[in-house]
Coordinates of all heavy atoms in Angstrom, one line a residue:
M1 N 9.5 -7.1 6.6 CA 10.2 -7.1 5.4 C 10.3 -5.7 4.8 O 9.3 -5.0 4.9 CB 9.5 -8.0 4.4 CG 10.2 -8.3 3.1 SD 9.4 -9.4 2.0 CE 9.9 -10.9 2.6
I2 N 11.4 -5.2 4.4 CA 11.6 -3.9 3.9 C 11.7 -4.0 2.4 O 12.4 -4.8 1.8 CB 12.8 -3.2 4.4 CG1 12.6 -3.0 5.9 CG2 13.1 -1.9 3.8 CD1 13.9 -2.5 6.7
Y3 N 11.0 -3.1 1.7 CA 10.9 -3.1 0.2 C 11.7 -1.9 -0.3 O 11.6 -0.8 0.2 CB 9.5 -3.1 -0.3 CG 8.7 -4.2 0.2 CD1 7.8 -4.1 1.2 CD2 8.8 -5.5 -0.4 CE1 7.1 -5.2 1.7 CE2 8.1 -6.6 0.1 CZ 7.2 -6.4 1.1 OH 6.5 -7.5 1.6
G4 N 12.4 -2.1 -1.4 CA 13.0 -1.0 -2.1 C 12.0 -0.5 -3.2 O 10.9 -0.1 -2.9
I5 N 12.4 -0.8 -4.4 CA 11.5 -0.4 -5.5 C 10.5 -1.5 -5.7 O 10.8 -2.7 -5.8 CB 12.3 -0.2 -6.8 CG1 13.3 1.0 -6.6 CG2 11.4 0.0 -8.0 CD1 14.2 1.2 -7.7
L6 N 9.2 -1.2 -5.6 CA 8.1 -2.2 -5.7 C 7.8 -2.4 -7.2 O 8.0 -1.5 -8.1 CB 6.9 -1.7 -5.0 CG 7.0 -1.5 -3.6 CD1 5.7 -0.9 -3.0 CD2 7.2 -2.8 -2.9
P7 N 7.3 -3.6 -7.5 CA 6.9 -3.9 -8.9 C 5.7 -3.0 -9.2 O 4.9 -2.7 -8.3 CB 6.5 -5.4 -8.8 CG 6.8 -5.9 -7.4 CD 7.2 -4.8 -6.6
T8 N 5.6 -2.7 -10.5 CA 4.4 -1.9 -10.9 C 3.7 -2.6 -11.9 O 4.2 -3.5 -12.6 CB 4.9 -0.5 -11.5 OG1 5.7 -0.8 -12.6 CG2 5.7 0.3 -10.5
L9 N 2.4 -2.2 -12.1 CA 1.5 -2.8 -13.1 C 0.5 -1.7 -13.6 O -0.2 -1.1 -12.7 CB 0.7 -4.0 -12.5 CG -0.2 -4.7 -13.5 CD1 0.5 -5.5 -14.5 CD2 -1.2 -5.6 -12.7
P10 N 0.5 -1.4 -14.8 CA -0.5 -0.4 -15.3 C -1.9 -1.0 -15.1 O -2.1 -2.2 -15.3 CB -0.2 -0.3 -16.8 CG 1.2 -0.9 -17.0 CD 1.4 -1.9 -15.9
L11 N -2.8 -0.1 -14.7 CA -4.2 -0.5 -14.5 C -4.8 -1.2 -15.8 O -5.6 -2.1 -15.7 CB -5.1 0.7 -14.1 CG -5.0 1.1 -12.7 CD1 -5.7 2.4 -12.5 CD2 -5.5 0.1 -11.8
A12 N -4.3 -0.8 -16.9 CA -4.8 -1.3 -18.2 C -4.5 -2.8 -18.3 O -5.1 -3.6 -19.0 CB -4.2 -0.5 -19.4
D13 N -3.4 -3.3 -17.6 CA -3.0 -4.7 -17.7 C -3.6 -5.5 -16.6 O -3.3 -6.7 -16.5 CB -1.5 -4.8 -17.6 CG -0.8 -4.2 -18.8 OD1 -1.4 -3.8 -19.8 OD2 0.5 -4.0 -18.7
L14 N -4.4 -4.9 -15.7 CA -4.9 -5.6 -14.6 C -5.7 -6.9 -15.0 O -5.5 -8.0 -14.4 CB -5.7 -4.7 -13.7 CG -6.1 -5.2 -12.3 CD1 -4.9 -5.6 -11.5 CD2 -6.9 -4.1 -11.6
R15 N -6.5 -6.8 -15.9 CA -7.4 -7.9 -16.3 C -6.5 -9.1 -16.9 O -6.7 -10.2 -16.5 CB -8.4 -7.5 -17.3 CG -9.3 -8.7 -17.7 CD -10.5 -8.2 -18.5 NE -11.3 -7.3 -17.8 CZ -12.3 -6.6 -18.3 NH1 -12.5 -6.5 -19.5 NH2 -13.0 -5.8 -17.5
T16 N -5.6 -8.7 -17.8 CA -4.8 -9.8 -18.5 C -3.7 -10.4 -17.6 O -3.3 -11.5 -17.9 CB -4.2 -9.3 -19.8 OG1 -3.4 -8.2 -19.5 CG2 -5.3 -8.8 -20.8
K17 N -3.3 -9.7 -16.6 CA -2.2 -10.1 -15.8 C -2.6 -10.5 -14.4 O -1.8 -10.7 -13.5 CB -1.1 -9.0 -15.7 CG -0.6 -8.5 -17.0 CD 0.8 -9.0 -17.3 CE 1.1 -8.6 -18.7 NZ 2.4 -8.1 -18.8
Q18 N -3.9 -10.7 -14.2 CA -4.4 -11.0 -12.9 C -3.8 -12.2 -12.2 O -3.4 -12.1 -11.0 CB -6.0 -11.1 -13.0 CG -6.7 -11.2 -11.6 CD -8.1 -11.3 -11.8 OE1 -8.7 -11.9 -12.7 NE2 -8.8 -10.6 -10.9
P19 N -3.7 -13.4 -12.9 CA -3.1 -14.5 -12.2 C -1.6 -14.3 -11.7 O -1.3 -14.6 -10.6 CB -3.1 -15.6 -13.3 CG -4.1 -15.2 -14.2 CD -4.1 -13.7 -14.2
E20 N -0.8 -13.6 -12.5 CA 0.5 -13.3 -12.1 C 0.5 -12.3 -10.9 O 1.3 -12.4 -10.0 CB 1.3 -12.7 -13.3 CG 1.5 -13.6 -14.5 CD 0.4 -13.5 -15.5 OE1 -0.7 -13.0 -15.3 OE2 0.7 -13.8 -16.7
L21 N -0.4 -11.3 -11.0 CA -0.4 -10.3 -9.9 C -0.8 -11.0 -8.6 O -0.1 -10.7 -7.6 CB -1.5 -9.3 -10.3 CG -1.8 -8.2 -9.2 CD1 -0.5 -7.5 -8.8 CD2 -2.9 -7.3 -9.6
I22 N -1.8 -11.8 -8.6 CA -2.2 -12.5 -7.4 C -1.1 -13.3 -6.8 O -0.8 -13.3 -5.6 CB -3.5 -13.3 -7.6 CG1 -4.7 -12.4 -7.9 CG2 -3.8 -14.2 -6.4 CD1 -5.9 -13.0 -8.4
A23 N -0.4 -14.1 -7.7 CA 0.8 -14.9 -7.2 C 1.9 -14.0 -6.6 O 2.5 -14.3 -5.6 CB 1.3 -15.7 -8.4
S24 N 2.2 -12.8 -7.3 CA 3.2 -12.0 -6.8 C 3.0 -11.3 -5.5 O 3.9 -10.9 -4.8 CB 3.6 -10.9 -7.9 OG 2.6 -9.9 -8.0
L25 N 1.7 -11.1 -5.1 CA 1.3 -10.5 -3.9 C 1.8 -11.3 -2.7 O 1.9 -10.7 -1.6 CB -0.2 -10.2 -3.8 CG -0.7 -9.1 -4.7 CD1 -2.2 -9.0 -4.6 CD2 0.0 -7.8 -4.5
Q26 N 2.1 -12.6 -2.9 CA 2.7 -13.4 -1.8 C 4.1 -12.9 -1.4 O 4.5 -13.1 -0.3 CB 2.7 -14.8 -2.2 CG 1.4 -15.5 -2.5 CD 0.6 -15.7 -1.2 OE1 1.1 -15.9 -0.1 NE2 -0.7 -15.8 -1.3
Q27 N 4.7 -12.3 -2.4 CA 6.1 -11.9 -2.2 C 6.3 -10.4 -1.9 O 7.1 -10.0 -1.1 CB 6.9 -12.1 -3.6 CG 6.9 -13.5 -4.0 CD 7.3 -14.5 -3.0 OE1 8.4 -14.3 -2.4 NE2 6.6 -15.6 -2.8
S28 N 5.5 -9.5 -2.5 CA 5.6 -8.1 -2.2 C 4.4 -7.4 -2.7 O 3.6 -7.9 -3.6 CB 6.9 -7.5 -2.9 OG 6.6 -7.4 -4.3
P29 N 4.1 -6.1 -2.2 CA 3.0 -5.3 -2.7 C 3.4 -4.9 -4.2 O 4.5 -5.0 -4.6 CB 3.1 -4.1 -1.8 CG 3.8 -4.5 -0.6 CD 4.8 -5.5 -1.1
T30 N 2.3 -4.5 -4.9 CA 2.5 -4.0 -6.3 C 1.9 -2.7 -6.4 O 0.7 -2.5 -5.9 CB 1.8 -5.0 -7.3 OG1 2.5 -6.3 -7.2 CG2 1.9 -4.6 -8.7
V31 N 2.5 -1.8 -7.0 CA 2.0 -0.4 -7.3 C 1.2 -0.5 -8.6 O 1.8 -0.9 -9.6 CB 3.2 0.6 -7.4 CG1 2.6 2.0 -7.8 CG2 4.0 0.7 -6.1
L32 N 0.0 0.0 -8.6 CA -0.8 0.1 -9.8 C -0.6 1.5 -10.3 O -0.6 2.5 -9.6 CB -2.3 -0.1 -9.5 CG -2.7 -1.5 -9.0 CD1 -4.1 -1.5 -8.6 CD2 -2.4 -2.5 -10.0
T33 N -0.4 1.6 -11.6 CA -0.2 2.9 -12.3 C -1.3 3.2 -13.2 O -1.9 2.4 -13.8 CB 1.2 3.0 -13.0 OG1 1.2 2.0 -14.0 CG2 2.3 2.7 -12.0
H34 N -1.5 4.5 -13.4 CA -2.4 5.0 -14.4 C -1.8 6.2 -15.1 O -1.4 7.2 -14.5 CB -3.7 5.5 -13.7 CG -4.7 6.0 -14.6 ND1 -5.3 5.3 -15.6 CD2 -5.2 7.3 -14.8 CE1 -6.2 6.0 -16.3 NE2 -6.2 7.3 -15.8
R35 N -1.5 6.0 -16.4 CA -0.8 7.1 -17.2 C 0.5 7.4 -16.6 O 0.9 8.6 -16.5 CB -1.7 8.3 -17.3 CG -3.0 8.1 -18.1 CD -3.8 9.3 -18.3 NE -5.0 9.0 -19.0 CZ -6.0 9.8 -19.2 NH1 -5.9 11.0 -18.6 NH2 -7.1 9.4 -19.8
G36 N 1.2 6.4 -16.1 CA 2.6 6.5 -15.7 C 2.7 7.0 -14.2 O 3.8 7.2 -13.8
R37 N 1.6 7.2 -13.6 CA 1.7 7.7 -12.2 C 1.0 6.7 -11.2 O 0.1 6.0 -11.6 CB 0.9 9.0 -12.0 CG 1.5 10.1 -13.0 CD 0.9 11.5 -12.7 NE 1.2 11.9 -11.3 CZ 0.9 13.0 -10.8 NH1 0.3 13.9 -11.6 NH2 1.2 13.3 -9.6
G38 N 1.5 6.7 -10.0 CA 1.0 5.8 -9.0 C -0.5 6.0 -8.8 O -0.9 7.2 -8.7
A39 N -1.3 5.0 -8.8 CA -2.7 5.1 -8.6 C -3.2 4.3 -7.4 O -4.3 4.6 -6.8 CB -3.5 4.5 -9.8
G40 N -2.4 3.4 -6.9 CA -2.7 2.6 -5.7 C -1.7 1.6 -5.5 O -0.8 1.4 -6.3
V41 N -1.8 0.9 -4.3 CA -0.9 -0.2 -4.0 C -1.7 -1.4 -3.6 O -2.6 -1.3 -2.7 CB 0.1 0.2 -2.9 CG1 1.0 -0.9 -2.5 CG2 0.9 1.4 -3.2
L42 N -1.5 -2.5 -4.2 CA -2.1 -3.8 -3.8 C -1.2 -4.5 -2.8 O 0.0 -4.7 -3.1 CB -2.5 -4.6 -5.0 CG -3.6 -4.1 -5.9 CD1 -3.7 -5.1 -7.1 CD2 -4.9 -4.0 -5.1
V43 N -1.8 -5.0 -1.7 CA -1.0 -5.8 -0.8 C -1.9 -7.1 -0.5 O -3.1 -7.1 -0.6 CB -0.7 -5.1 0.5 CG1 0.3 -4.0 0.3 CG2 -1.9 -4.7 1.3
H44 N -1.2 -8.1 -0.1 CA -1.9 -9.4 0.3 C -2.7 -9.0 1.6 O -2.2 -8.3 2.5 CB -0.9 -10.4 0.6 CG -1.5 -11.8 0.8 ND1 -2.0 -12.2 2.0 CD2 -1.6 -12.8 -0.1 CE1 -2.5 -13.4 1.8 NE2 -2.2 -13.8 0.6
P45 N -3.9 -9.6 1.7 CA -4.7 -9.3 2.9 C -4.0 -9.6 4.2 O -4.2 -8.8 5.2 CB -5.9 -10.2 2.8 CG -6.0 -10.4 1.3 CD -4.6 -10.4 0.8
R46 N -3.2 -10.6 4.3 CA -2.5 -10.9 5.5 C -1.5 -9.8 5.9 O -1.4 -9.4 7.0 CB -1.7 -12.3 5.3 CG -1.7 -13.1 6.5 CD -1.1 -14.5 6.3 NE -0.2 -14.7 5.1 CZ -0.6 -15.4 4.1 NH1 -1.7 -16.1 4.0 NH2 0.3 -15.5 3.0
Q47 N -0.8 -9.3 4.9 CA 0.1 -8.2 5.1 C -0.6 -6.9 5.5 O -0.2 -6.2 6.4 CB 1.0 -7.9 3.8 CG 2.0 -6.9 4.1 CD 2.9 -6.7 2.8 OE1 2.6 -7.2 1.8 NE2 3.9 -5.9 3.0
W48 N -1.7 -6.6 4.9 CA -2.5 -5.4 5.2 C -2.9 -5.5 6.7 O -2.8 -4.6 7.4 CB -3.7 -5.3 4.3 CG -4.6 -4.2 4.7 CD1 -5.8 -4.3 5.4 CD2 -4.4 -2.8 4.5 NE1 -6.3 -3.1 5.7 CE2 -5.5 -2.2 5.1 CE3 -3.4 -2.1 3.8 CZ2 -5.6 -0.8 5.0 CZ3 -3.5 -0.7 3.8 CH2 -4.6 -0.1 4.4
N49 N -3.5 -6.7 7.1 CA -4.0 -6.8 8.5 C -2.8 -6.6 9.4 O -3.0 -6.0 10.5 CB -4.6 -8.2 8.6 CG -5.9 -8.3 7.9 OD1 -6.6 -7.3 7.6 ND2 -6.3 -9.5 7.6
Y50 N -1.7 -7.2 9.1 CA -0.5 -7.0 10.0 C -0.1 -5.5 10.1 O 0.2 -5.0 11.2 CB 0.7 -7.8 9.4 CG 2.0 -7.7 10.2 CD1 2.1 -8.2 11.4 CD2 3.0 -6.9 9.7 CE1 3.3 -8.1 12.2 CE2 4.2 -6.7 10.4 CZ 4.3 -7.3 11.6 OH 5.5 -7.1 12.3
M51 N -0.1 -4.8 9.0 CA 0.3 -3.4 9.0 C -0.7 -2.6 9.8 O -0.3 -1.7 10.6 CB 0.4 -2.8 7.5 CG 1.6 -3.4 6.8 SD 1.8 -2.6 5.1 CE 0.2 -2.7 4.4
V52 N -2.0 -2.9 9.7 CA -3.0 -2.1 10.5 C -2.8 -2.4 11.9 O -2.9 -1.5 12.8 CB -4.4 -2.5 10.0 CG1 -5.5 -2.0 10.9 CG2 -4.7 -2.0 8.5
E53 N -2.6 -3.7 12.3 CA -2.3 -4.1 13.6 C -1.1 -3.3 14.2 O -1.2 -2.8 15.4 CB -2.2 -5.6 13.7 CG -2.0 -6.1 15.2 CD -1.8 -7.6 15.2 OE1 -2.3 -8.3 14.3 OE2 -1.0 -8.1 16.1
C54 N 0.0 -3.3 13.5 CA 1.2 -2.6 13.9 C 0.9 -1.1 14.1 O 1.4 -0.5 15.1 CB 2.3 -2.8 13.0 SG 3.0 -4.5 13.0
Y55 N 0.2 -0.5 13.2 CA -0.1 0.9 13.3 C -0.9 1.2 14.5 O -0.7 2.1 15.3 CB -0.9 1.3 12.0 CG -1.4 2.7 12.2 CD1 -0.6 3.8 11.9 CD2 -2.8 3.0 12.5 CE1 -1.1 5.1 12.0 CE2 -3.3 4.3 12.6 CZ -2.5 5.3 12.4 OH -3.0 6.6 12.5
E56 N -2.0 0.3 14.8 CA -2.8 0.6 16.0 C -2.0 0.4 17.3 O -2.2 1.2 18.2 CB -4.0 -0.4 15.9 CG -5.0 -0.1 14.9 CD -5.7 1.3 15.0 OE1 -5.8 1.8 16.2 OE2 -5.9 2.0 14.0
K57 N -1.1 -0.6 17.3 CA -0.3 -0.8 18.5 C 0.6 0.4 18.8 O 0.8 0.8 19.9 CB 0.5 -2.1 18.4 CG -0.4 -3.4 18.7 CD 0.4 -4.6 18.5 CE -0.5 -5.8 18.7 NZ 0.3 -7.1 18.6
A58 N 1.2 0.9 17.7 CA 2.1 2.0 17.8 C 1.4 3.3 18.2 O 1.9 4.0 19.1 CB 2.9 2.3 16.5
K59 N 0.2 3.4 17.7 CA -0.7 4.6 18.1 C -1.0 4.5 19.6 O -0.9 5.5 20.3 CB -1.9 4.6 17.2 CG -2.7 5.8 17.2 CD -3.8 5.7 16.2 CE -4.8 6.7 16.3 NZ -5.9 6.6 15.3
Q60 N -1.5 3.3 20.0 CA -1.9 3.1 21.4 C -0.7 3.3 22.4 O -0.8 3.8 23.5 CB -2.5 1.7 21.6 CG -3.8 1.6 21.0 CD -4.3 0.2 21.0 OE1 -3.7 -0.7 21.6 NE2 -5.5 0.0 20.5
A61 N 0.5 2.9 21.9 CA 1.7 3.1 22.8 C 2.3 4.5 22.7 O 3.3 4.7 23.4 CB 2.8 2.0 22.3
G62 N 1.7 5.4 21.9 CA 2.2 6.7 21.9 C 3.4 6.9 21.1 O 4.2 7.9 21.2
L63 N 3.7 5.9 20.2 CA 4.9 5.9 19.4 C 4.7 6.8 18.1 O 5.7 7.1 17.4 CB 5.3 4.5 19.0 CG 5.7 3.7 20.2 CD1 6.0 2.2 19.7 CD2 6.9 4.2 21.0
L64 N 3.5 7.2 17.8 CA 3.3 8.0 16.6 C 2.9 9.4 17.1 O 2.0 9.6 17.9 CB 2.1 7.4 15.8 CG 2.3 6.0 15.3 CD1 1.0 5.5 14.6 CD2 3.5 6.0 14.3
D65 N 3.6 10.4 16.6 CA 3.2 11.7 16.9 C 2.8 12.5 15.7 O 3.2 13.6 15.5 CB 4.3 12.4 17.8 CG 5.5 12.9 16.9 OD1 5.4 12.7 15.7 OD2 6.4 13.4 17.5
I66 N 1.9 11.9 14.9 CA 1.4 12.5 13.8 C -0.2 12.5 13.9 O -0.7 11.5 14.3 CB 1.8 11.9 12.5 CG1 1.3 12.7 11.2 CG2 1.4 10.5 12.4 CD1 2.0 12.3 9.9
N67 N -0.8 13.6 13.7 CA -2.3 13.6 13.9 C -3.0 13.6 12.5 O -2.3 13.7 11.5 CB -2.7 14.8 14.7 CG -2.3 16.1 14.1 OD1 -2.5 16.3 12.9 ND2 -1.9 17.1 14.9
E68 N -4.3 13.5 12.6 CA -5.1 13.4 11.3 C -4.9 14.6 10.4 O -4.8 14.5 9.2 CB -6.6 13.2 11.7 CG -6.8 11.9 12.3 CD -6.4 10.6 11.6 OE1 -6.6 10.6 10.3 OE2 -5.9 9.7 12.2
T69 N -4.7 15.8 11.0 CA -4.5 17.0 10.2 C -3.2 16.9 9.5 O -3.2 17.3 8.3 CB -4.5 18.3 11.1 OG1 -5.7 18.3 11.8 CG2 -4.3 19.5 10.3
E70 N -2.2 16.5 10.1 CA -0.9 16.3 9.4 C -0.9 15.3 8.3 O -0.3 15.5 7.3 CB 0.2 16.0 10.5 CG 0.5 17.1 11.4 CD 1.4 16.7 12.5 OE1 1.2 15.5 13.1 OE2 2.4 17.4 12.9
I71 N -1.7 14.2 8.5 CA -1.8 13.2 7.5 C -2.5 13.8 6.3 O -2.1 13.6 5.1 CB -2.6 12.0 8.0 CG1 -1.7 11.2 9.1 CG2 -3.0 11.1 6.9 CD1 -2.5 10.2 9.8
T72 N -3.6 14.6 6.5 CA -4.3 15.2 5.4 C -3.4 16.2 4.6 O -3.4 16.2 3.4 CB -5.5 16.0 5.9 OG1 -6.4 15.1 6.6 CG2 -6.3 16.6 4.8
E73 N -2.6 16.9 5.4 CA -1.6 17.9 4.7 C -0.6 17.1 3.9 O -0.3 17.5 2.8 CB -0.9 18.7 5.8 CG -1.9 19.7 6.4 CD -1.2 20.5 7.6 OE1 0.0 20.1 8.0 OE2 -1.9 21.3 8.2
L74 N -0.1 16.0 4.4 CA 0.8 15.2 3.6 C 0.2 14.6 2.4 O 0.8 14.6 1.3 CB 1.4 14.0 4.5 CG 2.3 14.4 5.6 CD1 2.6 13.1 6.5 CD2 3.7 14.9 5.0
E75 N -1.0 14.2 2.5 CA -1.7 13.7 1.3 C -1.9 14.8 0.2 O -1.8 14.5 -0.9 CB -3.1 13.2 1.7 CG -3.1 11.9 2.5 CD -4.4 11.5 3.1 OE1 -5.3 12.3 3.1 OE2 -4.5 10.3 3.4
L76 N -2.2 16.0 0.7 CA -2.4 17.1 -0.3 C -1.1 17.4 -0.9 O -1.0 17.7 -2.1 CB -2.9 18.3 0.5 CG -4.4 18.2 0.9 CD1 -4.7 19.4 1.8 CD2 -5.3 18.0 -0.2
E77 N 0.0 17.4 -0.2 CA 1.3 17.7 -0.8 C 1.7 16.6 -1.8 O 2.4 16.9 -2.8 CB 2.4 17.7 0.3 CG 2.4 18.9 1.2 CD 3.4 18.8 2.3 OE1 4.3 17.9 2.3 OE2 3.2 19.6 3.3
M78 N 1.3 15.4 -1.6 CA 1.7 14.3 -2.5 C 0.8 14.3 -3.8 O 1.2 13.7 -4.8 CB 1.6 12.9 -1.8 CG 2.6 12.8 -0.7 SD 2.4 11.3 0.3 CE 2.8 10.1 -0.9
A79 N -0.3 14.9 -3.7 CA -1.3 14.9 -4.9 C -0.8 15.7 -6.0 O 0.1 16.6 -5.9 CB -2.6 15.4 -4.4

């Protein structure tokens, strides 16, 4: 499934909107925000496991040509 703009939820609303959030994770990930900026992404555990499995298979098949140093550099650029 490909996602465009993901639903967002301020961290401050996490406690009061927990039931709705848990239900919505069946449909799509949700971006958690803090002071208007992305703070994290929540995904359903089944989807997370699938993504990790796909990543590992692609890595083993040599389909990814990005190394840990490049990942760290990308993270620094995004911060």
Side-chain angles (χ1 to χ4, degrees):
M1 189 178 276
I2 297 175
Y3 301 102
I5 298 173
L6 295 174
T8 62
L9 180 70
L11 282 171
D13 293 350
L14 192 53
R15 183 175 293 165
T16 59
K17 306 255 175 135
Q18 190 177 37
E20 296 94 333
L21 173 62
I22 291 170
S24 73
L25 290 177
Q26 297 287 335
Q27 304 303 313
S28 76
T30 298
V31 176
L32 296 176
T33 60
H34 179 66
R35 297 184 179 168
R37 299 187 64 174
V41 178
L42 288 178
V43 297
H44 191 278
R46 216 173 21 248
Q47 183 178 8
W48 174 260
N49 291 336
Y50 176 74
M51 290 187 308
V52 170
E53 182 181 328
C54 289
Y55 172 79
E56 290 299 325
K57 286 181 180 180
K59 192 172 167 184
Q60 289 172 0
L63 299 174
L64 301 175
D65 73 5
I66 187 167
N67 61 42
E68 296 301 320
T69 302
E70 291 171 318
I71 292 171
T72 302
E73 290 172 358
L74 288 171
E75 289 172 343
L76 290 174
E77 287 175 13
M78 294 174 66

